[in-house]
Amino acid sequence: VAGVFLRGFFGQYTAYAWGKSDLSSLNALWVGLAIFFGKAIGGFLLDYFGSIPLIVLSAVLSLLGYFFPSSLALSLVGIVGVNLLMALTMEFMRRAMPSFTAFGFGLLAAFLLLGYEAGFALRSFAPFQSWLDPILMALNAISLIFVYVILKKDGRQQTALLI
C-alpha cells in the first residue's frame, strides 16, 4: 500500500524541466503512453523475471528520470520505471489477502489517489525539494522488498518464476 501511495505522490510532486502544467498534446500523449507501457510491461516482467529483478529495474529507470529531468525521453523512461511496479503491488496484495482480492484492489486504488492528493498538497504549500524524490524512491524499493520477504517467509510466494 505504501508503494502505491508513493507512486501517486511521484506523479504529482515530481518536477520536470519540460513542465507538466504546460504539456502540449503531444507530450501529454507521450506521458500517457509511458504510464500505459510501464503498467502493461510490468506484469510481463514480473511473470518472467520475478519480484526482485523488477524492483531493481524499476529503481534504475526511475532514477534515470530523476537525474535527467530536462530530457523528455529520460523523464518518460523514469515514468515507465515507476509504473512497472503496479502489477507487483497488485500481486503482493493478492497474496497478502487471498480471500479479499477485490477489497485489496480497491484499497490500492484508494491509496494511489491519496498519494496523488498528498503530492498535490505538498507542491501547493511548499516548493519542490529535489532531494525528496530519491529518498522516496529508495523507501518504495525497500518497502516492496520487505513485503516480498514477509510473503516468502509466510509461504505466500508467487507461482511463476521466483527469484
Side-chain angles (χ1 to χ4, degrees), residues 70-107:
S70 60
S71 167
L72 175 61
L74 290 176
S75 293
L76 292 172
V77 168
I79 291 169
V80 168
V82 168
N83 284 281
L84 284 175
L85 296 175
M86 193 52 152
L88 178 67
T89 52
M90 292 175 71
E91 173 62 12
F92 281 176
M93 185 63 82
R94 183 195 65 76
R95 286 192 260 155
M97 299 172 42
S99 298
F100 301 98
T101 55
F103 173 69
F105 178 77
L107 194 61

mmCIF file of all heavy atoms in Angstrom, residues 70-107:
data_model
loop_
_atom_site.group_PDB
_atom_site.id
_atom_site.type_symbol
_atom_site.label_atom_id
_atom_site.label_comp_id
_atom_site.label_asym_id
_atom_site.label_seq_id
_atom_site.Cartn_x
_atom_site.Cartn_y
_atom_site.Cartn_z
ATOM 1 N N SER A 70 15.535 17.378 -17.442
ATOM 2 C CA SER A 70 15.333 18.262 -18.589
ATOM 3 C C SER A 70 15.105 17.484 -19.880
ATOM 4 O O SER A 70 14.655 18.042 -20.873
ATOM 5 C CB SER A 70 16.526 19.202 -18.757
ATOM 6 O OG SER A 70 17.700 18.446 -18.976
ATOM 7 N N SER A 71 15.388 16.197 -19.856
ATOM 8 C CA SER A 71 15.201 15.364 -21.041
ATOM 9 C C SER A 71 13.819 14.714 -21.007
ATOM 10 O O SER A 71 13.520 13.925 -20.110
ATOM 11 C CB SER A 71 16.282 14.271 -21.074
ATOM 12 O OG SER A 71 15.951 13.286 -22.026
ATOM 13 N N LEU A 72 13.006 15.047 -21.983
ATOM 14 C CA LEU A 72 11.683 14.430 -22.065
ATOM 15 C C LEU A 72 11.811 12.917 -22.201
ATOM 16 O O LEU A 72 11.106 12.171 -21.524
ATOM 17 C CB LEU A 72 10.884 15.004 -23.240
ATOM 18 C CG LEU A 72 9.522 14.356 -23.503
ATOM 19 C CD1 LEU A 72 8.595 14.504 -22.303
ATOM 20 C CD2 LEU A 72 8.879 14.922 -24.754
ATOM 21 N N ALA A 73 12.738 12.444 -23.034
ATOM 22 C CA ALA A 73 12.891 11.000 -23.259
ATOM 23 C C ALA A 73 13.257 10.274 -21.968
ATOM 24 O O ALA A 73 12.651 9.247 -21.627
ATOM 25 C CB ALA A 73 13.933 10.739 -24.337
ATOM 26 N N LEU A 74 14.237 10.791 -21.211
ATOM 27 C CA LEU A 74 14.636 10.120 -19.977
ATOM 28 C C LEU A 74 13.588 10.291 -18.872
ATOM 29 O O LEU A 74 13.437 9.410 -18.025
ATOM 30 C CB LEU A 74 16.010 10.602 -19.517
ATOM 31 C CG LEU A 74 17.159 10.121 -20.414
ATOM 32 C CD1 LEU A 74 18.484 10.709 -19.966
ATOM 33 C CD2 LEU A 74 17.229 8.606 -20.455
ATOM 34 N N SER A 75 12.861 11.387 -18.905
ATOM 35 C CA SER A 75 11.747 11.537 -17.962
ATOM 36 C C SER A 75 10.683 10.484 -18.232
ATOM 37 O O SER A 75 10.107 9.916 -17.308
ATOM 38 C CB SER A 75 11.134 12.936 -18.051
ATOM 39 O OG SER A 75 12.040 13.909 -17.609
ATOM 40 N N LEU A 76 10.438 10.218 -19.516
ATOM 41 C CA LEU A 76 9.465 9.178 -19.881
ATOM 42 C C LEU A 76 9.960 7.802 -19.445
ATOM 43 O O LEU A 76 9.172 6.976 -18.976
ATOM 44 C CB LEU A 76 9.185 9.204 -21.383
ATOM 45 C CG LEU A 76 8.447 10.443 -21.891
ATOM 46 C CD1 LEU A 76 8.389 10.446 -23.412
ATOM 47 C CD2 LEU A 76 7.053 10.534 -21.295
ATOM 48 N N VAL A 77 11.259 7.560 -19.560
ATOM 49 C CA VAL A 77 11.837 6.303 -19.070
ATOM 50 C C VAL A 77 11.599 6.189 -17.566
ATOM 51 O O VAL A 77 11.243 5.123 -17.050
ATOM 52 C CB VAL A 77 13.342 6.206 -19.411
ATOM 53 C CG1 VAL A 77 14.021 5.070 -18.668
ATOM 54 C CG2 VAL A 77 13.530 6.039 -20.917
ATOM 55 N N GLY A 78 11.787 7.298 -16.834
ATOM 56 C CA GLY A 78 11.519 7.306 -15.398
ATOM 57 C C GLY A 78 10.066 7.023 -15.079
ATOM 58 O O GLY A 78 9.754 6.298 -14.131
ATOM 59 N N ILE A 79 9.158 7.576 -15.874
ATOM 60 C CA ILE A 79 7.727 7.331 -15.675
ATOM 61 C C ILE A 79 7.401 5.858 -15.918
ATOM 62 O O ILE A 79 6.636 5.253 -15.165
ATOM 63 C CB ILE A 79 6.889 8.269 -16.577
ATOM 64 C CG1 ILE A 79 7.025 9.720 -16.089
ATOM 65 C CG2 ILE A 79 5.428 7.839 -16.618
ATOM 66 C CD1 ILE A 79 6.471 10.756 -17.040
ATOM 67 N N VAL A 80 7.999 5.272 -16.949
ATOM 68 C CA VAL A 80 7.829 3.837 -17.190
ATOM 69 C C VAL A 80 8.326 3.064 -15.971
ATOM 70 O O VAL A 80 7.665 2.151 -15.477
ATOM 71 C CB VAL A 80 8.570 3.385 -18.472
ATOM 72 C CG1 VAL A 80 8.645 1.864 -18.551
ATOM 73 C CG2 VAL A 80 7.889 3.942 -19.708
ATOM 74 N N GLY A 81 9.498 3.446 -15.463
ATOM 75 C CA GLY A 81 10.086 2.756 -14.316
ATOM 76 C C GLY A 81 9.193 2.765 -13.094
ATOM 77 O O GLY A 81 9.022 1.741 -12.426
ATOM 78 N N VAL A 82 8.626 3.907 -12.784
ATOM 79 C CA VAL A 82 7.727 3.999 -11.627
ATOM 80 C C VAL A 82 6.501 3.115 -11.833
ATOM 81 O O VAL A 82 6.054 2.425 -10.915
ATOM 82 C CB VAL A 82 7.308 5.476 -11.383
ATOM 83 C CG1 VAL A 82 6.167 5.567 -10.389
ATOM 84 C CG2 VAL A 82 8.498 6.294 -10.895
ATOM 85 N N ASN A 83 5.966 3.102 -13.041
ATOM 86 C CA ASN A 83 4.735 2.365 -13.305
ATOM 87 C C ASN A 83 4.930 0.863 -13.504
ATOM 88 O O ASN A 83 3.956 0.118 -13.497
ATOM 89 C CB ASN A 83 4.014 2.977 -14.505
ATOM 90 C CG ASN A 83 3.331 4.252 -14.117
ATOM 91 O OD1 ASN A 83 2.255 4.228 -13.519
ATOM 92 N ND2 ASN A 83 3.955 5.385 -14.401
ATOM 93 N N LEU A 84 6.169 0.410 -13.640
ATOM 94 C CA LEU A 84 6.429 -1.026 -13.742
ATOM 95 C C LEU A 84 5.916 -1.792 -12.528
ATOM 96 O O LEU A 84 5.592 -2.974 -12.619
ATOM 97 C CB LEU A 84 7.937 -1.290 -13.865
ATOM 98 C CG LEU A 84 8.607 -1.017 -15.197
ATOM 99 C CD1 LEU A 84 10.114 -1.228 -15.063
ATOM 100 C CD2 LEU A 84 8.032 -1.898 -16.290
ATOM 101 N N LEU A 85 5.842 -1.117 -11.400
ATOM 102 C CA LEU A 85 5.552 -1.806 -10.141
ATOM 103 C C LEU A 85 4.069 -2.011 -9.847
ATOM 104 O O LEU A 85 3.730 -2.631 -8.843
ATOM 105 C CB LEU A 85 6.211 -1.044 -8.985
ATOM 106 C CG LEU A 85 7.729 -1.004 -9.056
ATOM 107 C CD1 LEU A 85 8.282 -0.132 -7.946
ATOM 108 C CD2 LEU A 85 8.312 -2.393 -8.992
ATOM 109 N N MET A 86 3.184 -1.528 -10.691
ATOM 110 C CA MET A 86 1.759 -1.676 -10.395
ATOM 111 C C MET A 86 1.340 -3.146 -10.332
ATOM 112 O O MET A 86 0.635 -3.561 -9.413
ATOM 113 C CB MET A 86 0.918 -0.913 -11.413
ATOM 114 C CG MET A 86 -0.509 -0.764 -10.981
ATOM 115 S SD MET A 86 -0.554 -0.070 -9.311
ATOM 116 C CE MET A 86 -2.073 0.768 -9.325
ATOM 117 N N ALA A 87 1.790 -3.935 -11.297
ATOM 118 C CA ALA A 87 1.439 -5.358 -11.283
ATOM 119 C C ALA A 87 2.009 -6.049 -10.049
ATOM 120 O O ALA A 87 1.354 -6.922 -9.455
ATOM 121 C CB ALA A 87 1.947 -6.042 -12.552
ATOM 122 N N LEU A 88 3.205 -5.656 -9.643
ATOM 123 C CA LEU A 88 3.829 -6.253 -8.467
ATOM 124 C C LEU A 88 3.029 -5.948 -7.208
ATOM 125 O O LEU A 88 2.768 -6.845 -6.405
ATOM 126 C CB LEU A 88 5.270 -5.750 -8.315
ATOM 127 C CG LEU A 88 6.016 -6.261 -7.091
ATOM 128 C CD1 LEU A 88 6.261 -7.757 -7.203
ATOM 129 C CD2 LEU A 88 7.329 -5.516 -6.927
ATOM 130 N N THR A 89 2.617 -4.707 -7.032
ATOM 131 C CA THR A 89 1.856 -4.380 -5.822
ATOM 132 C C THR A 89 0.501 -5.084 -5.817
ATOM 133 O O THR A 89 0.037 -5.520 -4.761
ATOM 134 C CB THR A 89 1.668 -2.857 -5.662
ATOM 135 O OG1 THR A 89 1.137 -2.315 -6.865
ATOM 136 C CG2 THR A 89 2.976 -2.182 -5.345
ATOM 137 N N MET A 90 -0.096 -5.214 -6.990
ATOM 138 C CA MET A 90 -1.365 -5.939 -7.047
ATOM 139 C C MET A 90 -1.165 -7.415 -6.736
ATOM 140 O O MET A 90 -1.981 -8.027 -6.039
ATOM 141 C CB MET A 90 -2.021 -5.743 -8.413
ATOM 142 C CG MET A 90 -2.497 -4.314 -8.623
ATOM 143 S SD MET A 90 -3.142 -4.016 -10.266
ATOM 144 C CE MET A 90 -4.664 -4.921 -10.169
ATOM 145 N N GLU A 91 -0.065 -7.982 -7.220
ATOM 146 C CA GLU A 91 0.236 -9.384 -6.925
ATOM 147 C C GLU A 91 0.526 -9.581 -5.440
ATOM 148 O O GLU A 91 0.070 -10.539 -4.824
ATOM 149 C CB GLU A 91 1.426 -9.860 -7.776
ATOM 150 C CG GLU A 91 1.930 -11.238 -7.441
ATOM 151 C CD GLU A 91 0.929 -12.364 -7.655
ATOM 152 O OE1 GLU A 91 -0.134 -12.146 -8.281
ATOM 153 O OE2 GLU A 91 1.197 -13.487 -7.185
ATOM 154 N N PHE A 92 1.280 -8.653 -4.852
ATOM 155 C CA PHE A 92 1.558 -8.736 -3.415
ATOM 156 C C PHE A 92 0.264 -8.639 -2.613
ATOM 157 O O PHE A 92 0.072 -9.354 -1.629
ATOM 158 C CB PHE A 92 2.520 -7.633 -2.985
ATOM 159 C CG PHE A 92 3.964 -7.913 -3.297
ATOM 160 C CD1 PHE A 92 4.925 -6.957 -3.025
ATOM 161 C CD2 PHE A 92 4.389 -9.104 -3.855
ATOM 162 C CE1 PHE A 92 6.263 -7.189 -3.292
ATOM 163 C CE2 PHE A 92 5.719 -9.354 -4.131
ATOM 164 C CZ PHE A 92 6.663 -8.389 -3.850
ATOM 165 N N MET A 93 -0.636 -7.765 -3.022
ATOM 166 C CA MET A 93 -1.916 -7.625 -2.314
ATOM 167 C C MET A 93 -2.739 -8.902 -2.461
ATOM 168 O O MET A 93 -3.357 -9.362 -1.502
ATOM 169 C CB MET A 93 -2.688 -6.419 -2.836
ATOM 170 C CG MET A 93 -3.955 -6.137 -2.070
ATOM 171 S SD MET A 93 -3.685 -5.706 -0.333
ATOM 172 C CE MET A 93 -3.298 -3.978 -0.488
ATOM 173 N N ARG A 94 -2.729 -9.493 -3.648
ATOM 174 C CA ARG A 94 -3.461 -10.743 -3.865
ATOM 175 C C ARG A 94 -2.925 -11.840 -2.954
ATOM 176 O O ARG A 94 -3.691 -12.608 -2.363
ATOM 177 C CB ARG A 94 -3.352 -11.189 -5.329
ATOM 178 C CG ARG A 94 -4.164 -12.453 -5.641
ATOM 179 C CD ARG A 94 -3.769 -13.066 -6.955
ATOM 180 N NE ARG A 94 -2.403 -13.561 -6.984
ATOM 181 C CZ ARG A 94 -1.983 -14.696 -6.416
ATOM 182 N NH1 ARG A 94 -2.813 -15.458 -5.758
ATOM 183 N NH2 ARG A 94 -0.709 -15.064 -6.515
ATOM 184 N N ARG A 95 -1.602 -11.912 -2.820
ATOM 185 C CA ARG A 95 -1.012 -12.937 -1.963
ATOM 186 C C ARG A 95 -1.230 -12.639 -0.485
ATOM 187 O O ARG A 95 -1.379 -13.555 0.316
ATOM 188 C CB ARG A 95 0.488 -13.070 -2.234
ATOM 189 C CG ARG A 95 0.751 -13.769 -3.533
ATOM 190 C CD ARG A 95 2.200 -14.155 -3.633
ATOM 191 N NE ARG A 95 2.911 -13.186 -4.463
ATOM 192 C CZ ARG A 95 4.203 -12.953 -4.374
ATOM 193 N NH1 ARG A 95 4.932 -13.583 -3.496
ATOM 194 N NH2 ARG A 95 4.776 -12.092 -5.158
ATOM 195 N N ALA A 96 -1.218 -11.365 -0.116
ATOM 196 C CA ALA A 96 -1.397 -10.996 1.292
ATOM 197 C C ALA A 96 -2.837 -11.178 1.745
ATOM 198 O O ALA A 96 -3.094 -11.519 2.896
ATOM 199 C CB ALA A 96 -0.960 -9.547 1.514
ATOM 200 N N MET A 97 -3.798 -10.955 0.833
ATOM 201 C CA MET A 97 -5.223 -11.037 1.182
ATOM 202 C C MET A 97 -5.954 -11.903 0.163
ATOM 203 O O MET A 97 -6.815 -11.415 -0.571
ATOM 204 C CB MET A 97 -5.825 -9.621 1.205
ATOM 205 C CG MET A 97 -5.183 -8.717 2.222
ATOM 206 S SD MET A 97 -5.688 -6.974 2.144
ATOM 207 C CE MET A 97 -7.422 -7.026 1.876
ATOM 208 N N PRO A 98 -5.652 -13.197 0.086
ATOM 209 C CA PRO A 98 -6.220 -14.034 -0.972
ATOM 210 C C PRO A 98 -7.741 -14.156 -0.933
ATOM 211 O O PRO A 98 -8.361 -14.402 -1.956
ATOM 212 C CB PRO A 98 -5.543 -15.395 -0.762
ATOM 213 C CG PRO A 98 -5.048 -15.380 0.642
ATOM 214 C CD PRO A 98 -4.780 -13.957 0.978
ATOM 215 N N SER A 99 -8.336 -13.964 0.212
ATOM 216 C CA SER A 99 -9.796 -14.068 0.304
ATOM 217 C C SER A 99 -10.497 -12.739 0.056
ATOM 218 O O SER A 99 -11.726 -12.693 0.042
ATOM 219 C CB SER A 99 -10.192 -14.582 1.690
ATOM 220 O OG SER A 99 -9.666 -15.874 1.890
ATOM 221 N N PHE A 100 -9.717 -11.665 -0.117
ATOM 222 C CA PHE A 100 -10.294 -10.328 -0.280
ATOM 223 C C PHE A 100 -9.621 -9.591 -1.428
ATOM 224 O O PHE A 100 -9.205 -8.438 -1.278
ATOM 225 C CB PHE A 100 -10.147 -9.520 1.021
ATOM 226 C CG PHE A 100 -10.819 -10.159 2.189
ATOM 227 C CD1 PHE A 100 -10.096 -10.929 3.086
ATOM 228 C CD2 PHE A 100 -12.184 -10.004 2.389
ATOM 229 C CE1 PHE A 100 -10.716 -11.533 4.166
ATOM 230 C CE2 PHE A 100 -12.809 -10.602 3.455
ATOM 231 C CZ PHE A 100 -12.082 -11.372 4.349
ATOM 232 N N THR A 101 -9.519 -10.225 -2.591
ATOM 233 C CA THR A 101 -8.797 -9.620 -3.707
ATOM 234 C C THR A 101 -9.461 -8.344 -4.222
ATOM 235 O O THR A 101 -8.767 -7.391 -4.560
ATOM 236 C CB THR A 101 -8.631 -10.622 -4.860
ATOM 237 O OG1 THR A 101 -9.908 -11.127 -5.235
ATOM 238 C CG2 THR A 101 -7.718 -11.767 -4.458
ATOM 239 N N ALA A 102 -10.768 -8.305 -4.283
ATOM 240 C CA ALA A 102 -11.450 -7.097 -4.755
ATOM 241 C C ALA A 102 -11.240 -5.941 -3.773
ATOM 242 O O ALA A 102 -10.991 -4.798 -4.182
ATOM 243 C CB ALA A 102 -12.935 -7.365 -4.952
ATOM 244 N N PHE A 103 -11.333 -6.229 -2.477
ATOM 245 C CA PHE A 103 -11.066 -5.201 -1.477
ATOM 246 C C PHE A 103 -9.623 -4.719 -1.586
ATOM 247 O O PHE A 103 -9.345 -3.523 -1.500
ATOM 248 C CB PHE A 103 -11.346 -5.723 -0.068
ATOM 249 C CG PHE A 103 -10.928 -4.770 1.016
ATOM 250 C CD1 PHE A 103 -11.603 -3.576 1.194
ATOM 251 C CD2 PHE A 103 -9.850 -5.057 1.835
ATOM 252 C CE1 PHE A 103 -11.217 -2.680 2.179
ATOM 253 C CE2 PHE A 103 -9.451 -4.178 2.817
ATOM 254 C CZ PHE A 103 -10.141 -2.983 2.998
ATOM 255 N N GLY A 104 -8.689 -5.645 -1.792
ATOM 256 C CA GLY A 104 -7.281 -5.278 -1.943
ATOM 257 C C GLY A 104 -7.061 -4.356 -3.130
ATOM 258 O O GLY A 104 -6.325 -3.370 -3.034
ATOM 259 N N PHE A 105 -7.715 -4.656 -4.253
ATOM 260 C CA PHE A 105 -7.599 -3.801 -5.428
ATOM 261 C C PHE A 105 -8.165 -2.411 -5.133
ATOM 262 O O PHE A 105 -7.559 -1.402 -5.480
ATOM 263 C CB PHE A 105 -8.325 -4.425 -6.621
ATOM 264 C CG PHE A 105 -8.275 -3.561 -7.843
ATOM 265 C CD1 PHE A 105 -7.118 -3.504 -8.611
ATOM 266 C CD2 PHE A 105 -9.365 -2.813 -8.222
ATOM 267 C CE1 PHE A 105 -7.061 -2.703 -9.733
ATOM 268 C CE2 PHE A 105 -9.320 -2.009 -9.346
ATOM 269 C CZ PHE A 105 -8.165 -1.955 -10.110
ATOM 270 N N GLY A 106 -9.315 -2.361 -4.489
ATOM 271 C CA GLY A 106 -9.911 -1.076 -4.129
ATOM 272 C C GLY A 106 -9.033 -0.283 -3.172
ATOM 273 O O GLY A 106 -8.906 0.939 -3.278
ATOM 274 N N LEU A 107 -8.419 -0.980 -2.233
ATOM 275 C CA LEU A 107 -7.517 -0.334 -1.286
ATOM 276 C C LEU A 107 -6.317 0.281 -2.013
ATOM 277 O O LEU A 107 -5.918 1.417 -1.734
ATOM 278 C CB LEU A 107 -7.052 -1.361 -0.259
ATOM 279 C CG LEU A 107 -6.377 -0.868 1.002
ATOM 280 C CD1 LEU A 107 -7.314 0.022 1.808
ATOM 281 C CD2 LEU A 107 -5.942 -2.059 1.847
#
